[in-house]
Amino acid sequence: MSFYAIYNPASGSYSKSKIDYIIKYFSDNYSIDLVAVESKYQGFAKDFFESKNPKLVIIIGGDGFIRDVVEGLYYNKIKTKIYFIPLGTVNVLCRELSIGSNYKTALKRFDINSTALPMRIGIAGDRVFIQMMGFGLDAVSVKNINLNIKKYIGKYAYVISGIKGMLMKYTTINVFFDKKFYKPCHMIVSIGNLYAGSFKIYNKKSDYFKVLMAEKNNFKEILKYLIHIFTFYKCLPIFLTNVIKIENVKDAQLDGDYVNFDGKDLLIRLVTTDLSILKPRG
């Protein structure tokens, strides 16, 4: 078999009935017999696909799980078509690609004969991100999130954690790109334009990283940073680049998952993979 549907039973809106519905949908509408694969641990996809040669991989879950599977496919140097079915809390990538944030909508927009476009990803050291990574307030908000609260209120748990994070003190980080040096306290590096669902940090199409920074550690600067992210008023500059170097990185978030880089220097690159995303209908 070379058609796989890999899913995360820990995703925010997972249920066995949804997985059964998805598998049946592909069988009934496209005569595709998907092999359903349950991910059992972080990094499972890298181990599972090591000896596989898939023609199509359907990734079912949230942004963090999609990132984990894409990382596994990328490091196994697999060339295949992929499509995403959202079952996460926020589903930023699926929104970005106009796949939608509902699994039934994503199924209706699937087309096995549609154009497949090469997938671009971010590489941070040896870690992959599919949509965004963040430092400062962005990272701490993810690090300190209460997972029990998240089960009940979903993405609003990030808001609560973010408000608490605004009261903390942050040190600056050394950032280099395009022959210039910056010392922000907070920074977002994004492949797409969307943040935390449907909020836009940038309004134009671009094939570069979008970099947003708050360079002062005070309430006024953080407020401007948040206004830029969560409102239509864009009050901070967006920098476009495809390679970034950061010194002494500790806390970071990759697609909503906290990562401790343990004080390493980090090279962040935008790369094009051998993975091709099927364009959704419409």
Side-chain angles (χ1 to χ4, degrees):
M1 293 289 185
S2 57
F3 300 94
Y4 296 92
I6 184 166
Y7 63 93
N8 181 14
S11 291
S13 58
Y14 164 83
S15 72
K16 185 179 182 303
S17 62
K18 290 179 181 178
I19 300 301
D20 291 342
Y21 180 94
I22 291 168
I23 300 301
K24 188 175 185 299
Y25 183 92
F26 280 96
S27 177
D28 291 348
N29 291 274
Y30 293 96
S31 298
I32 295 175
D33 292 325
L34 290 172
V35 177
V37 179
E38 178 181 311
S39 178
K40 302 184 185 301
Y41 51 85
Q42 187 171 0
F44 174 84
K46 187 176 182 180
D47 295 336
F48 178 81
F49 286 108
E50 185 176 8
S51 59
K52 303 291 190 300
N53 185 26
K55 291 183 179 179
L56 174 68
V57 179
I58 306 297
I59 306 174
I60 308 169
D63 293 302
F65 180 67
I66 292 173
R67 183 208 60 77
D68 189 57
V69 176
V70 168
E71 184 172 273
L73 294 170
Y74 174 75
Y75 280 116
N76 278 314
K77 299 181 180 180
I78 289 175
K79 185 175 183 179
T80 187
K81 293 179 181 179
I82 57 177
Y83 189 75
F84 311 117
I85 306 293
L87 281 187
T89 302
V90 185
N91 304 304
V92 181
L93 181 63
C94 287
R95 294 172 187 262
E96 184 82 49
L97 298 174
S98 298
I99 289 172
S101 58
N102 177 275
Y103 76 102
K104 289 187 177 180
T105 300
L107 287 172
K108 291 177 181 178
R109 292 179 179 171
F110 175 84
D111 183 356
I112 189 64
N113 297 314
S114 73
T115 303
L117 300 177
M119 183 178 191
R120 293 179 305 125
I121 60 173
I123 305 290
D126 60 352
R127 300 299 302 273
V128 163
F129 62 99
I130 55 169
Q131 179 70 13
M132 180 177 295
M133 72 180 304
F135 309 87
L137 176 62
D138 203 53
V140 168
S141 297
V142 173
K143 178 182 179 181
N144 295 335
I145 196 168
N146 187 311
L147 295 178
N148 291 324
I149 293 176
K150 183 183 175 184
K151 289 180 182 178
Y152 293 100
I153 63 174
K155 64 182 180 181
Y156 298 105
Y158 292 99
V159 177
I160 295 172
S161 183
I163 291 172
K164 293 179 180 179
M166 290 177 67
L167 304 176
M168 297 175 59
K169 290 185 177 180
Y170 297 86
T171 57
T172 57
I173 53 177
N174 296 331
V175 179
F176 305 85
F177 59 86
D178 296 340
K179 299 181 180 179
K180 293 183 179 179
F181 172 64
Y182 304 88
K183 290 182 72 69
C185 293
H186 315 280
M187 184 171 74
I188 291 170
V189 179
S190 182
I191 299 171
N193 289 359
L194 296 183
Y195 179 92
S198 56
F199 300 103
K200 282 190 175 183
I201 63 170
Y202 192 63
N203 293 319
K204 298 178 182 179
K205 185 176 180 180
S206 172
D207 291 329
Y208 292 91
F209 282 136
K210 294 84 180 172
V211 182
L212 177 67
M213 296 183 287
E215 296 198 58
K216 296 180 181 178
N217 189 28
N218 58 50
F219 183 80
K220 182 179 178 181
E221 189 75 1
I222 292 177
L223 187 60
K224 286 171 61 178
Y225 185 71
L226 295 176
I227 287 172
H228 182 104
I229 294 171
F230 294 111
T231 74
F232 291 105
Y233 181 58
K234 303 307 175 190
C235 49
L236 292 173
I238 288 287
F239 300 92
L240 303 177
T241 188
N242 55 18
V243 179
I244 303 166
K245 182 180 178 182
I246 306 179
E247 293 181 341
N248 193 28
V249 179
K250 294 181 181 179
D251 295 329
Q253 70 89 2
L254 277 73
D255 299 312
D257 288 341
Y258 171 73
V259 178
N260 183 352
F261 283 102
D262 199 28
K264 297 177 181 177
D265 291 351
L266 202 61
L267 185 67
I268 305 172
R269 300 174 292 120
L270 185 62
V271 303
T272 301
T273 72
D274 288 329
L275 304 171
S276 300
I277 304 173
L278 287 170
K279 287 182 64 176
R281 296 178 190 273

